[in-house]
Amino acid sequence: MAKITLDPVTRIEGHLRIDTRVEGGRVVEAWSKGEMFRGFESILKSRDVFDAPLIVQRICGVCPISHAIAACQAVEEASGQAPSRNGVLLRNLILGANYLQSHILHFYHLSALDFIDVAAILDYRGKAPQLKALRDWVLKETRSGRILPASPFIPQFPGGLSTDHAWNIGALTHYLEALDVRSETHKMAALFGGKMPHAATLIPGGVTTGADPAVVENFRSRLIKVSRFIEKSYLPDLLEAARQYPQYSKIGRGVGRFLSVGAFEEDGAPWLPNGYLSFEIGTVPGNFERFSLGKVGEETGHSFYSSNGNPQAQKSGAYSWVKTPVYGGQSVEVGPLARLLVADASGVQDVSRALDDTLQAAGLTRDHLMSVIGRHLARGIEARLLVERMDRWLSELHLGAASCEPPLPGASGSGLGLVEAPRGALIHELSADAGRIANYNCIVPSTWNFAPRNNRGAPGAVEAALVGTQVDPRHAGIEVARVVRAFDPCLACAVH
Ligand code: NFE
C-alpha cells in the first residue's frame, strides 16, 4: 500500500481531506487539506463593530460562544471599555456550557463509532425501551433493503472495533443519553445566551440577560444532571477506551509544542490580554513561558492565498485553504490537552491533581498524554474541572446586579480577543475606525491543528501526529481516522 486517503473526513464540520504516504505498514508522511473557502473576514469589513459578535458566531454552530466572546473583547479594547463583573461570569457560564456540549458531542457522536461496534445492537436481548426501539428500527430498515446493518451510525470503518458486547451496548446507551445531555447543555447556554447555538445576548460590555435567582437555580439543576453523566458515563467510557485500546496511548504524539491563550477570566479585574485566567497562558513543555502575541504569525506558503492574504485558488505548492499559524516560527498544538499541560506546567493545582487521578485510574503516565487516548482523556478531565468551576461562578454572580455596561459607540483603534474555544486557542484581531470595522482577522483552533506545512516545510500538528501510525490495509484507514478525530477537527472554523 502506498497511500491512504480520507476524503472527506466524516463526522466533523466542514471539508477535510487527509492524504498519507505509507511505507512498511506505517504512515511516513501526511498532508492535511482544507477543501473549501469561506471569507468571514471579508464579510466583516466596514460593518458596525457591534455586528461583530453576531456575525462571527456564524463561523460555526459548534463553538459560536468563543467567537462571540473574542469579538466582544476585541471591540471592548478598541473602545476602551471593560465588561461588568456579572457579564464576565455569565460569559464564563455560557462558554462553559458550550464546552460541555462540545466535548460530549466529540466523544459520543463524532468519535466513539471508531471504537465501539454499534452492530452489537442487532444482538440486543435486553429490555431497555430505547435500545429495543433502535434494534427494531435497524432490523426493519435492513429487511426492507433500504440500509445496511447499523446504518444509522455510518460511516463506520471496518476492523479494530471493540468485541466486548457489554461495553458496546453500554456505550451505545450512553450515545443515546448523550443526545439528551447535550440538549441540557444547550438549554443552559440559552438560559443566559437567549438562544443556542447562536447566542443573542453577548455584546461588548457584558451580557444582556441578568442574573435572576430562578434562572441561576435552573442552570444549576441542569449542571448537576450533566455532571452526573460526566462522572457515571463519560469518564468511565474514556477509561474503558484507554483499557481496550492500549496502543492508542502510544501513537499520535504530534509536534510536542503546546499553546494555550488562557480560558475563563476569574479575578474580576478588567480584561487584559495577559491577565490571570483560570487555565493560564503559555506554551509547554519544558520551557513554559507567558503567551506573547508578538510571536504569533500566519504563513501561507502551502495555502491557497497570495502573500497579501487574498484567495488564490491556482497556486503552485499550495494544497490547503487552511493557513498555517505559527508561534515563534513553529507549528504548535492547541486544544484541551494543551490547556491542561500549560495549566499543569504553570502550577494550577486542581488541574495537576485531576491529571494525576485520571492517569492513575487509566494506568498511564504523563508521557502517554501526547496520544490519541491522551487527547480524549483531556476533554473528559476538563469537563469534570469545568463543572466545579461553573458551580463556583454561579455562586459568585451578584444576583440582581447589572450584567452589562452601556455600549460605547464610535470605537477607533485596534482590539484583541483571546479566548480558549473548546478546540483551543482562538485569536480575533480587530481594527476599527469611527465604529466601523476596518480590518478583522481570526486565528482559530482548527487552523492551528489542521494547518499545512509551514514555510520551512515542517508539518502541522495533525500532519506530525499521523507520522508513525501503524495501519492495517484491511481497515480502510480507521487508524488514521482515530488519530485525526482525536484533535476534534472543525474545518468550518479552520477556514472561516
Ligand atoms: Ni467550529 Fe471552533 C474551532 C472550537 S473556534 S468548532 O476550531 O472549539 O472558536
Side-chain angles (χ1 to χ4, degrees), residues 106-371:
H106 174 254
F107 182 66
Y108 284 103
H109 302 138
L110 305 183
S111 300
L113 302 192
D114 294 337
F115 298 99
I116 64 173
D117 186 358
V118 292
I121 192 68
L122 297 169
D123 300 324
Y124 181 66
R125 300 286 173 266
K127 295 199 165 79
Q130 267 191 319
L131 291 175
K132 277 167 56 184
L134 181 64
R135 178 201 59 201
D136 294 346
W137 181 73
V138 171
L139 285 170
K140 183 167 146 261
E141 294 291 301
T142 307
R143 272 196 296 269
S144 73
R146 279 199 286 273
I147 56 172
L148 298 168
S151 283
F153 306 102
I154 60 167
Q156 194 174 36
F157 292 101
L161 300 172
S162 177
T163 54
D164 180 332
H165 185 76
W167 188 55
N168 283 329
I169 292 296
L172 188 53
T173 307
H174 302 156
Y175 178 109
L176 297 173
E177 287 170 5
L179 294 167
D180 291 332
V181 173
R182 287 177 49 217
S183 157
E184 288 296 324
T185 59
H186 259 344
K187 285 172 188 160
M188 287 159 64
L191 281 170
F192 295 127
K195 68 180 190 59
M196 274 300 278
H198 299 121
T201 64
L202 297 160
I203 65 162
V207 177
T208 58
T209 36
D212 177 88
V215 177
V216 169
E217 286 318 307
N218 188 336
F219 189 102
R220 199 192 299 274
S221 70
R222 294 177 197 275
L223 181 62
I224 291 167
K225 279 192 230 166
V226 176
S227 170
R228 210 172 289 140
F229 180 80
I230 291 167
E231 297 299 327
K232 288 200 159 44
S233 304
Y234 184 22
L235 284 164
D237 279 336
L238 290 173
L239 291 175
E240 187 57 26
R243 195 185 68 74
Q244 291 197 24
Y245 291 86
Q247 67 277 32
Y248 282 90
S249 304
K250 301 188 189 91
I251 63 166
R253 193 170 178 86
V255 290
R257 288 178 296 276
F258 297 88
L259 172 74
S260 162
V261 296
F264 303 107
E265 184 177 333
E266 284 237 306
D267 63 359
W271 181 81
L272 293 167
N274 284 323
Y276 172 78
L277 298 158
S278 63
F279 285 118
E280 272 289 355
I281 295 175
T283 58
V284 282
N287 55 345
F288 173 75
E289 62 179 50
R290 299 295 287 178
F291 170 76
S292 159
L293 186 69
K295 289 193 171 183
V296 175
E298 276 192 295
E299 299 181 349
T300 54
H302 296 280
S303 316
F304 295 114
Y305 300 91
S306 64
S307 52
N308 57 10
N310 289 325
Q312 188 185 350
Q314 309 294 328
K315 178 177 159 183
S316 139
Y319 62 89
S320 178
W321 287 98
V322 180
K323 292 180 184 171
T324 304
V326 288
Y327 189 85
Q330 294 185 303
S331 303
V332 297
E333 175 176 341
V334 301
L337 176 61
R339 283 194 285 275
L340 294 191
L341 291 176
V342 168
D344 183 43
S346 56
V348 182
Q349 286 181 4
D350 64 338
V351 171
S352 301
R353 265 198 309 274
L355 274 173
D356 288 341
D357 291 350
T358 307
L359 288 172
Q360 195 187 8
L364 301 174
T365 66
R366 270 179 169 55
D367 200 47
H368 291 115
L369 281 169
M370 296 170 210
S371 69

Side-chain angles (χ1 to χ4, degrees), residues 13 60 62-63 66-67 102 421-424 426 444-447 490 492-494:
E13 188 165 316
C60 180
V62 183
C63 66
S66 27
H67 285 293
S102 181
R423 284 157 195 73
L426 174 67
V444 182
S446 291
T447 318
C490 175
C493 273

Side-chain angles (χ1 to χ4, degrees), residues 12-32:
I12 66 166
E13 188 165 316
H15 306 285
L16 172 66
R17 172 184 171 124
I18 297 288
D19 282 320
T20 62
R21 190 163 65 79
V22 176
E23 277 177 20
R26 284 182 193 275
V27 173
V28 291
E29 229 180 338
W31 294 264
S32 165

